[in-house]
């Protein structure tokens, strides 16, 4: 190419490499990172796997570590509002110029691999390589990292320098890649556990916990499990919540959703383990960090009167939690949905769990995404459970229509695949600019 890549070209390249699909396995990423000087070996990681709650636990911990004075990288995907949210240091997104420069470096290595007859790295492998190069340049003290899918064969799992592995609740997800029993899926997720490290596990179903305990024994790891018996003083609320857990009294969190109580316990368990590993984290860093943590797209209230909530519930576990939260916070109020899903997700179960609560539902399709389920087809599936459903031509028309139907006391929940939530938020802002929080 000769020319230095600019941000738009970098984004185009990163979009183009999605054609290489999702290929579980570590050979490719190992080869790519070797050619880039293995920057990941110079970093320390907190590695998080699980089905639901990974992002929230990551957000709590990276906020606390930043408060404690550690330069903290965070790597998450997918993201809702900007591609650059995926790669952050101390809560600041990677700069456009840095992303372009590092994309060019990784592209050159990836294309050289392809020319030599090796498989071209996938988009997730390319992104992961960019993140690690960036975190090394920024001299991060610690990187909080979530797996893309599964664990054992996920591209992030070539890291060798983890100080802590965290397993959030494990349920049936990505069965075509990870296996069709809970034990098989847990085996994949527990694949991130490295010998002689410290492991934190959220509460798990017995079958999954058995696998985690066995892995920890075999690898001579210290396992800390969240002890729900020590949870007390819980105050639920859709704009503020509180809990006491073990040595932590009256911890306030700003993330809504019943399940955030469990994610908060997992984060606090991890903080205690980090302190045992001699990380210097003051009590005030923990209280402030927990309260100030933001994680958009997980039961996020973006509007009042009517209340509008964005939620990325795209699998049965998350759908069950969404339903529980709606019943907890909004009992007796009229609930309406804008709903979009990928066709490779367990949409039937998600619909069965959530659709009965809604007065009406508008289905949408994520534009430009081959995995997205057409709105008309999704409408047919929803109608089997709740006949009060219509399909919208676009996300903005769905928002417009829903606002025209809803009264100020209603609750509008925009949920399903994360990929359309960013656009939905923009549409809500356009609709009700003056009343946004």
């Amino acid at each position: 190419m000769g020319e230095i890549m600019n941000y738009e070209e970098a984004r185009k390249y990163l979009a183009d490499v999605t054609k290489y699909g999702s290929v579980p396995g570590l050979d490719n990423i190992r080869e790519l990172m070797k050619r880039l000087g293995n920057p990941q070996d110079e970093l320390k990681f907190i590695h998080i796997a699980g089905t639901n709650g990974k992002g929230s636990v990551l957000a709590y911990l990276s906020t606390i570590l930043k408060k404690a004075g550690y330069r903290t990288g965070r790597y998450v995907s997918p993201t809702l509002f900007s591609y650059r949210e995926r790669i952050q240091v101390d809560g600041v997104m990677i700069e456009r110029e840095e992303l372009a420069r590092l994309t060019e470096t990784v592209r050159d290595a990836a294309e050289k691999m392809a020319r030599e007859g090796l498989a071209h790295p996938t988009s997730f492998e390319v992104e992961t390589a960019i993140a690690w190069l960036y975190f090394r340049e920024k001299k991060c003290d610690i990187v909080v990292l979530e797996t893309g899918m599964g664990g054992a064969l996920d591209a992030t799992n070539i890291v060798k320098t983890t100080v802590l592995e965290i397993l959030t609740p494990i349920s049936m997800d990505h069965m075509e890649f990870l296996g069709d029993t809970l034990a098989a899926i847990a085996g994949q997720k527990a694949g991130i556990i490295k010998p002689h490290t410290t492991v934190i596990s959220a509460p798990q179903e017995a079958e999954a916990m058995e696998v985690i305990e066995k892995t920890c024994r075999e690898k001579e790891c210290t396992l800390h499990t969240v002890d729900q018996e020590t949870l007390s003083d819980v105050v639920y609320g859709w704009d503020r919540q509180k809990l006491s857990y073990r040595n932590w009294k009256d911890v306030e969190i700003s993330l809504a959703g019943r399940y955030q109580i469990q994610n908060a316990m997992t984060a606090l368990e991890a903080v205690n383990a980090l302190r045992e590993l001699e990380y210097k984290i003051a009590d005030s860093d923990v209280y402030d960090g927990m309260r100030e943590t933001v994680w958009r797209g997980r039961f996020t209230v973006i509007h009042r009167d009517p209340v509008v909530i964005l939620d990325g519930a795209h699998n049965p576990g998350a759908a069950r939690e969404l339903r529980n939260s709606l019943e907890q916070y909004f009992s007796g109020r009229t609930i309406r949905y804008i709903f979009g899903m990928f066709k490779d997700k367990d949409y039937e179960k998600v619909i069965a769990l959530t659709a009965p609560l809604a007065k009406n539902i508008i289905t949408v399709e994520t534009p430009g995404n081959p995995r997205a389920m057409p709105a008309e087809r999704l409408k047919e599936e929803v109608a089997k459970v709740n006949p009060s459903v219509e399909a919208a031509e676009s996300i903005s028309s769905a928002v417009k229509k829903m606002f025209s139907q809803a009264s100020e006391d209603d609750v509008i929940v925009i949920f399903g695949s994360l990929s359309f939530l960013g656009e939905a938020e923009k549409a809500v802002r356009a609709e009700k600019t003056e009343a946004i929080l």
Side-chain angles (χ1 to χ4, degrees):
M1 230 170 150
E3 294 283 307
I4 290 176
M5 205 181 234
N6 66 28
Y7 178 69
E8 282 67 32
E9 289 163 340
R11 286 300 314 277
K12 185 179 182 313
Y13 169 74
L14 291 164
D16 286 349
V17 290
T18 57
K19 68 183 178 212
Y20 297 107
S22 176
V23 185
L26 303 181
D27 294 348
N28 236 20
I29 183 84
R30 276 207 183 98
E31 180 61 32
L32 178 61
M33 296 320 300
K34 193 170 86 185
R35 290 168 184 239
L36 294 167
N38 283 323
Q40 75 283 2
D41 291 349
E42 296 171 46
L43 298 161
K44 285 191 160 50
F45 296 95
I46 294 174
H47 202 181
I48 307 176
T51 308
N52 294 312
K54 295 194 294 285
S56 302
V57 172
L58 178 147
Y60 288 127
L61 286 175
S62 48
T63 309
I64 289 166
L65 285 161
K66 177 196 164 197
K67 286 261 166 217
Y70 292 98
R71 182 169 287 193
T72 308
R74 55 162 94 173
Y75 179 48
V76 292
S77 70
T79 48
L80 298 188
F81 302 98
S82 161
Y83 182 89
R84 294 183 297 124
E85 280 180 85
R86 292 165 194 231
I87 301 170
Q88 300 179 30
V89 173
D90 287 345
V92 178
M93 297 188 291
I94 184 172
E95 302 82 351
R96 294 162 76 97
E97 299 72 26
E98 300 297 297
L99 182 72
R101 177 175 59 79
L102 293 172
T103 300
E104 186 174 14
T105 303
V106 177
R107 180 204 62 191
D108 292 348
E111 289 183 349
K112 193 159 188 287
M113 282 171 66
R115 283 198 302 274
E116 291 170 18
L118 298 165
H120 192 292
T122 65
S123 62
F124 186 66
E125 288 166 341
V126 167
E127 281 167 14
T128 302
I130 292 166
W132 287 337
L133 285 169
Y134 183 66
F135 295 143
R136 179 176 68 178
E137 280 185 10
K138 288 288 189 183
K139 299 187 166 50
C140 287
D141 298 309
I142 193 147
V143 173
V144 194
L145 179 71
E146 65 170 331
T147 58
M149 179 177 63
L153 301 177
D154 187 75
T156 60
N157 202 32
I158 67 162
V159 299
K160 303 182 188 129
T161 49
T162 46
V163 293
L164 209 62
E165 293 99 2
I166 300 174
L167 293 159
T168 66
I170 296 168
S171 56
M172 306 301 272
D173 196 25
H174 295 297
M175 276 104 83
E176 69 280 25
F177 291 109
L178 305 179
D180 54 7
T181 66
L182 197 57
I185 292 173
Q188 284 293 319
K189 310 264 186 195
I192 66 167
I193 295 171
K194 304 290 179 292
H196 311 293
T197 53
T198 300
V199 179
I200 308 295
S201 176
Q204 305 284 358
E205 289 184 42
E207 207 180 330
M209 189 51 93
E210 216 169 276
V211 173
I212 294 164
E213 287 171 347
K214 183 170 180 279
T215 308
C216 287
R217 278 196 304 277
E218 286 168 359
K219 298 195 174 177
E220 298 179 347
C221 295
T222 307
L223 174 62
H224 296 257
T225 52
V226 168
D227 179 6
Q228 285 177 298
E229 298 293 306
T230 67
L231 172 68
S232 62
D233 310 321
V234 179
V235 178
Y236 291 106
W238 54 269
D239 56 356
R240 194 149 305 276
Q241 308 196 98
K242 261 190 178 178
L243 69 151
S244 295
Y245 176 71
R246 290 203 197 274
N247 49 314
W248 301 101
K249 299 291 171 248
D250 293 324
V251 178
E252 196 176 288
I253 56 173
S254 306
L255 301 189
R258 276 183 68 91
Y259 51 87
Q260 286 301 348
I261 301 296
Q262 183 167 282
N263 291 334
M265 287 195 288
T266 307
L268 293 168
E269 192 68 52
V271 166
N272 286 351
L274 285 167
R275 283 173 149 187
E276 282 176 25
L277 293 166
E278 298 190 349
Y279 279 80
K280 291 182 171 36
I281 304 169
D283 286 3
S284 59
D285 301 329
V286 179
Y287 285 106
D288 293 347
M290 294 297 283
R291 189 177 57 253
E292 291 169 28
T293 294
V294 175
W295 187 238
R296 295 198 293 175
R298 309 311 189 279
F299 211 90
T300 307
V301 178
I302 59 165
H303 191 277
R304 295 167 191 260
D305 310 322
V307 171
V308 180
I309 291 160
L310 295 182
D311 193 89
H314 60 270
N315 57 42
R320 193 173 289 110
E321 295 295 356
L322 172 61
R323 185 192 67 196
N324 290 345
S325 294
L326 291 172
E327 288 174 340
Q328 170 91 35
Y329 302 137
F330 301 115
S331 161
R333 287 172 73 170
T334 299
I335 294 172
R336 304 170 185 270
Y337 295 157
I338 296 172
F339 176 52
M341 280 286 279
F342 284 167
K343 49 182 180 265
D344 55 3
K345 288 287 179 182
D346 192 348
Y347 54 84
E348 287 175 339
K349 214 167 255 176
V350 170
I351 291 166
L353 286 161
T354 57
L357 287 188
K359 179 171 184 181
N360 73 314
I361 299 169
I362 301 177
T363 58
V364 294
E365 178 181 350
T366 302
N369 193 314
R371 291 171 63 200
M373 196 163 183
E376 277 295 337
R377 170 89 202 287
L378 191 55
K379 173 191 152 181
E380 288 163 21
E381 292 296 331
V382 172
K384 295 174 187 173
V385 178
N386 185 335
S388 182
V389 58
E390 58 187 301
E393 282 174 18
S394 68
I395 290 162
S396 60
S397 69
V399 168
K400 203 173 267 310
K401 181 163 255 189
M402 197 54 99
F403 269 104
S404 71
Q405 294 171 350
S407 77
E408 287 199 346
D409 291 335
D410 291 357
V411 179
I412 300 170
V413 187
I414 304 173
F415 81 102
S417 67
L418 290 162
S419 56
F420 82 94
L421 296 187
E423 194 172 324
E425 186 184 47
K426 280 188 203 133
V428 171
R429 286 188 188 287
E431 199 60 35
K432 291 280 180 178
T433 324
E434 72 291 348
I436 293 295
L437 288 173

